[in-house]
């Protein structure tokens, strides 16, 4: 008897070590009832989708896989909650690690360079679409879903429902990444302050037009000047007309490559990215996959007047109108700082921080009322004087599932199941309410977001609007994101420190990008490193042969500050609803 009891105890201990009991559909129903509500699917449809996952995961039950993403609320939810659900429903254990964005890019780059399997899947920005489609160390998901992974591709995935799928499609027309979370950089402002009659009267008396959502940079600058130097104080608090950051760190580079130049009007017309000149200033002709230069002398726009103007305004506004110390903030310090309640507006604010900005007053958020309703609104960012209709107007981050050929096929398939699970219609609506990083049309147009819209400060209205297509990630003109992105923050940091003027910094940046692209061209020509789609640089010419030409960068404007123009938030949202 004693021996039998010891054996039973050992078996129980072994069972405990093996993790949660696997119950398949029973567990799926528990998660659907207790966690995955609301959903755009009926419970019956959710159960059908989960039944497919249970069956498809059968060959991989008991496997343990590793995935990596950056640290934002959406991924925290996946890491802490959805991994548990996935394991209980499928029997596959997922270690979902969270790191800073720069560390994620570094891990991706290391796996691409070494072909060592560091992680079985990554949530990696679609900014690397030009890299993945050229190096082809990533898995082409179009062919993967139709071929080797057909048995583990969810028939209810509904690719066309993903609002950012064009961002993850390469120049070859193939899908290389699957969107997991998405957020835009939009204008943010204190609507309660803008609506005060005495403030509105004072602004119109000084500037001759109504205080409202700025349509152009001239109005943004006027509003920044007005709140900083004319209003100065509201409800006993010293306030400022602008917020930004300038710490010399990698996220300062993202601040600029995340389409700051495009807002000024530095690109060619075209969506999702300008052709031939994109928002990095890199030239690539329509119908080609070969970048031909960043410098104006090669037909690019990185050091063209619109780009230099954009950097000059960033530096000027940071010094004149932002709170003391903002120049030393980084990305992670700057954006939540708005909740202190001492800033009137921010031209460029990532909607990924919406969850932080709708936190209650009890958590130190001074930008909501006692009921938790936002005192602020988000709206389209204003454009600079070089911007024209048909150009992109800002950035949209699309963190997307990326698989690599260096990952063994069985581990890759198991990771693909997890990737599809966390973006499935069964899960997506609840995940979107937690992280507020919208990826599906069906989710944002669902009833639950109609009900929640008044508490989200314009997020729902923006994502339902036709305007959202003008906010796009880095595109296919950028041939190797990790190699080129690291150049930006160093040069922009030299502007903030005063070591170089904006023109000097952008000249250096354009030259360094051309140098790296020249080395990429040599590698592609010698070894087909980029599949024939590496750079093919134009020979340098006098910049005058490109500036102001129909397919070249814009020439310097005589007047870079036209009349300020604003629109009321109510008129803006009514216009969206009518389209």
């Amino acid at each position: 008897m004693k021996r039998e009891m010891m054996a039973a105890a050992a078996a129980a201990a072994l069972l405990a070590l093996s993790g949660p009991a696997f119950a398949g559909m029973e567990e799926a129903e528990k998660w659907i009832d207790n966690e995955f509500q609301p959903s755009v699917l009926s419970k019956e449809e959710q159960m059908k989708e989960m039944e497919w996952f249970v069956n498809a995961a059968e060959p991989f039950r008991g496997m343990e896989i590793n995935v990596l993403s950056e640290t934002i609320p959406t991924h925290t939810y996946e890491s802490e909650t959805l991994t548990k659900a996935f394991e209980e429903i499928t029997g596959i254990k997922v270690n979902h690690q969270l790191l800073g964005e720069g560390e994620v890019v570094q891990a991706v780059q290391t796996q691409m360079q070494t072909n060592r399997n560091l992680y079985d899947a990554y949530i990696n920005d679609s900014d690397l679409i030009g890299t993945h489609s050229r190096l082809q160390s990533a898995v082409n998901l179009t062919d993967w879903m139709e071929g080797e992974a057909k048995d583990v591709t969810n028939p209810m995935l509904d690719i066309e429902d993903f609002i950012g799928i064009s961002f993850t499609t390469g120049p070859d027309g193939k899908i290389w990444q699957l969107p997991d979370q998405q957020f835009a950089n939009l204008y943010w402002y204190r609507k309660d302050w803008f609506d005060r009659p005495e403030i509105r009267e004072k602004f119109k008396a000084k500037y001759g037009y109504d205080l409202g959502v700025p349509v152009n940079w001239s109005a943004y600058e006027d509003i920044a000047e007005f709140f900083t130097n004319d209003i100065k104080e509201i409800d006993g608090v010293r306030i400022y007309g602008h917020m930004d950051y300038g710490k010399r760190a990698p996220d300062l580079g993202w601040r600029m490559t995340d389409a700051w130049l495009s807002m000024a009007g530095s690109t060619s017309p075209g969506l999702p990215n300008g052709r031939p000149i994109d928002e990095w200033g890199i030239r690539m002709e329509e119908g080609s996959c070969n970048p031909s230069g960043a410098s104006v002398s090669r037909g690019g726009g990185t050091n063209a007047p619109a780009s230099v103007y954009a950097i000059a305004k960033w530096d000027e506004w940071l010094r004149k109108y932002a709170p003391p110390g903002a120049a030393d903030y980084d990305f992670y310090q700057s954006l939540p700082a708005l909740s202190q309640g001492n800033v009137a507006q921010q031209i460029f604010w990532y909607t990924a921080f919406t969850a932080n900005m709708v936190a209650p007053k009890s958590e130190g958020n001074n930008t909501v009322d006692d009921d938790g309703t936002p005192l602020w609104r988000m709206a389209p960012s204003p454009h600079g004087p070089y911007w024209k209709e048909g150009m992109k107007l800002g950035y949209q981050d699309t963190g997307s599932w990326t698989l690599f050929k260096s990952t063994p096929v069985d581990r890759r398939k198991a990771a693909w199941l997890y990737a599809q699970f966390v973006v499935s219609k069964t899960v997506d609506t609840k995940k979107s309410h937690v992280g507020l990083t919208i990826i599906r049309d069906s989710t944002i147009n669902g009833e639950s977001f109609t009900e929640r819209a008044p508490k989200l400060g314009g997020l729902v209205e923006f994502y339902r609007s036709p305007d959202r297509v003008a906010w796009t990630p880095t595109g296919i003109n950028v041939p190797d994101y990790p190699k080129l992105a690291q150049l930006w923050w160093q040069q922009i940091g030299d502007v903030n420190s005063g070591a170089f003027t904006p023109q000097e910094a952008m000249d250096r940046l354009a030259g360094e990008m051309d140098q790296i692209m020249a080395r990429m061209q040599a590698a592609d020509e010698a070894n087909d490193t980029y599949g024939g789609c590496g750079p093919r640089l134009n020979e340098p010419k006098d910049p005058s042969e490109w500036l102001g030409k129909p397919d070249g960068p814009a020439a310097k404007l005589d007047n870079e500050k036209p009349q300020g123009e604003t629109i009321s938030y109510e008129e803006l949202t009514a216009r969206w609803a009518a389209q």
Side-chain angles (χ1 to χ4, degrees):
M1 176 67 79
K2 186 176 179 182
R3 184 178 298 170
E4 290 173 354
M5 290 174 64
M6 289 175 64
L14 185 62
L15 183 63
L17 287 172
S18 68
F22 172 74
M25 292 308 296
E26 182 182 333
E27 291 300 309
E29 185 169 26
K30 180 194 77 174
W31 280 96
I32 287 169
D33 288 343
N34 299 328
E35 182 66 25
F36 301 148
Q37 299 300 330
S39 172
V40 297
L41 300 181
S42 66
K43 181 178 176 180
E44 182 181 0
E45 290 169 327
Q46 287 180 294
M47 290 292 285
K48 179 183 176 183
E49 186 167 50
M50 289 302 100
E51 183 179 16
W52 178 86
F53 276 102
V54 170
N55 294 333
E58 176 69 31
F60 312 99
R61 191 176 299 176
M63 184 178 286
E64 184 172 336
I65 59 171
N66 304 302
V67 304
L68 177 65
S69 71
E70 66 174 304
T71 305
I72 62 171
T74 295
H75 299 323
T76 300
Y77 178 70
E78 290 168 339
S79 176
E80 295 177 355
T81 301
L82 297 186
T83 53
K84 294 177 184 176
F86 185 70
E87 183 177 2
E88 290 184 14
I89 293 168
T90 67
I92 301 170
K93 180 176 175 59
V94 181
N95 300 312
H96 187 147
Q97 186 175 359
L98 306 177
L99 292 174
E101 183 181 0
E103 294 167 295
V104 175
V105 172
Q106 178 131 24
V108 167
Q109 187 175 26
T110 300
Q111 183 149 342
M112 288 192 298
Q113 290 173 339
T114 65
N115 285 320
R116 289 174 50 227
N117 187 46
L118 303 181
Y119 292 90
D120 301 308
Y122 297 84
I123 301 176
N124 170 225
D125 281 359
S126 70
D127 294 334
L128 275 80
I129 184 63
T131 312
H132 294 320
S133 60
R134 287 179 173 88
L135 284 177
Q136 303 201 10
S137 55
V139 173
N140 170 338
L141 295 182
T142 298
D143 294 347
W144 166 253
M145 290 186 286
E146 294 171 357
E148 195 170 24
K150 192 170 185 178
D151 59 326
V152 287
T153 295
N154 179 10
M156 295 175 66
L157 184 58
D158 193 2
I159 288 292
E160 293 181 1
D161 192 42
F162 288 88
I163 62 179
I165 202 67
S166 65
F167 308 151
T168 62
T169 301
D172 53 4
K174 305 283 189 178
I175 297 167
W176 288 86
Q177 300 169 276
L178 182 70
D180 176 273
Q181 48 85 358
Q182 192 164 322
F183 51 88
N185 64 351
L186 298 178
Y187 174 73
W188 180 99
Y189 78 107
R190 285 294 298 270
K191 189 174 188 300
D192 59 328
W193 295 351
F194 278 48
D195 285 350
R196 292 191 181 189
E198 69 277 14
I199 291 178
R200 296 179 62 80
E201 290 168 11
K202 192 171 183 179
F203 182 87
K204 188 160 188 178
K206 180 173 183 179
Y207 295 101
Y209 60 95
D210 289 332
L211 178 60
V213 175
V215 173
N216 58 13
W217 282 22
S218 299
Y220 183 85
E221 185 173 75
D222 288 346
I223 295 168
E225 162 77 23
F226 175 70
F227 275 98
T228 304
N229 296 324
D230 292 310
I231 300 300
K232 294 183 183 178
E233 187 176 296
I234 292 180
D235 300 334
V237 176
R238 173 69 170 105
I239 58 102
Y240 300 88
H242 172 64
M243 173 58 84
D244 211 326
Y245 60 93
K247 186 175 182 179
R248 188 185 175 91
D251 41 352
L252 179 58
W254 307 327
R255 176 72 174 80
M256 302 303 161
T257 59
D258 287 359
W260 176 250
L261 274 58
S262 77
M263 293 162 62
S266 66
T267 76
S268 299
L271 296 171
N273 302 87
R275 299 292 289 275
I277 301 171
D278 75 349
E279 67 274 15
W280 287 42
I282 295 175
R283 185 180 190 87
M284 190 169 80
E285 304 298 337
E286 189 72 45
S288 167
C289 63
N290 303 112
S292 54
S295 300
V296 173
S297 61
R298 299 182 193 271
T302 304
N303 57 335
S307 303
V308 173
Y309 163 83
I311 300 303
K313 283 299 174 188
W314 163 77
D315 184 53
E316 177 188 344
W317 293 344
L318 184 59
R319 294 173 187 278
K320 284 186 174 181
Y321 308 126
D328 294 322
Y329 285 174
D330 63 16
F331 169 84
Y332 297 101
Q333 295 165 320
S334 164
L335 298 174
L338 291 176
S339 66
Q340 295 175 23
N342 66 340
V343 174
Q345 60 172 358
Q346 182 160 339
I347 191 170
F348 175 133
W349 177 77
Y350 288 100
T351 64
F353 287 83
T354 305
N356 300 87
M357 297 302 295
V358 297
K361 268 187 172 181
S362 59
E363 295 181 16
N365 180 11
N366 296 322
T367 66
V368 294
D369 66 17
D370 292 336
D371 295 326
T373 302
L375 300 170
W376 51 268
R377 296 291 185 273
M378 62 182 84
S381 294
H383 55 72
Y386 292 88
W387 190 86
K388 293 181 173 61
E389 286 291 340
M391 292 180 176
K392 68 179 288 182
L393 187 50
Y395 177 77
Q396 198 157 178
D397 186 297
T398 306
S400 305
W401 284 102
T402 309
L403 307 176
F404 285 102
K405 295 175 182 176
S406 52
T407 302
V409 173
D410 60 338
R411 301 185 67 81
R412 200 191 310 160
K413 283 188 171 184
W416 177 237
L417 284 169
Y418 174 66
Q420 294 174 95
F421 177 82
V422 300
V423 303
S424 66
K425 287 184 180 179
T426 292
V427 172
D428 186 66
T429 303
K430 175 58 184 287
K431 187 180 87 169
S432 297
H433 276 289
V434 173
L436 298 174
T437 53
I438 311 299
I439 58 170
R440 285 186 176 272
D441 254 326
S442 58
T443 294
I444 194 60
N445 287 303
E447 184 180 346
S448 68
F449 272 100
T450 298
E451 294 171 357
R452 196 177 175 193
K455 295 283 190 178
L456 296 179
L459 180 73
V460 174
E461 290 83 352
F462 172 77
Y463 269 105
R464 288 180 174 179
S465 81
D467 285 357
R468 75 180 186 206
V469 299
W471 279 256
T472 69
T474 296
I476 56 177
N477 290 32
V478 179
D480 195 320
Y481 183 95
K483 279 188 172 70
L484 296 172
Q486 61 187 322
L487 303 175
W488 284 71
W489 66 271
Q490 299 169 59
Q491 298 302 337
I492 305 304
D494 282 339
V495 175
N496 188 31
S497 71
F500 292 99
T501 67
Q503 183 71 65
E504 290 168 340
M506 298 309 277
D507 286 343
R508 284 159 54 98
L509 174 60
E512 289 182 5
M513 285 209 289
D514 283 346
Q515 288 175 15
I516 286 181
M517 287 195 287
R519 292 198 290 269
M520 293 169 62
Q521 175 175 339
D524 196 37
E525 290 174 335
N527 304 309
D528 201 35
T529 303
Y530 296 93
C533 283
R536 300 293 186 270
L537 296 183
N538 292 330
E539 289 299 318
K541 298 178 182 178
D542 189 286
S544 63
E545 296 193 39
W546 289 105
L547 283 169
K549 300 300 188 289
D551 65 343
K556 184 174 174 60
L557 293 171
D558 292 333
N559 176 22
E560 291 184 326
K561 192 178 180 187
Q563 172 65 33
E565 182 184 351
T566 59
I567 184 173
S568 76
Y569 182 76
E570 290 73 19
E571 182 183 346
L572 179 69
T573 52
R575 183 188 300 174
W576 283 343
Q579 294 183 37

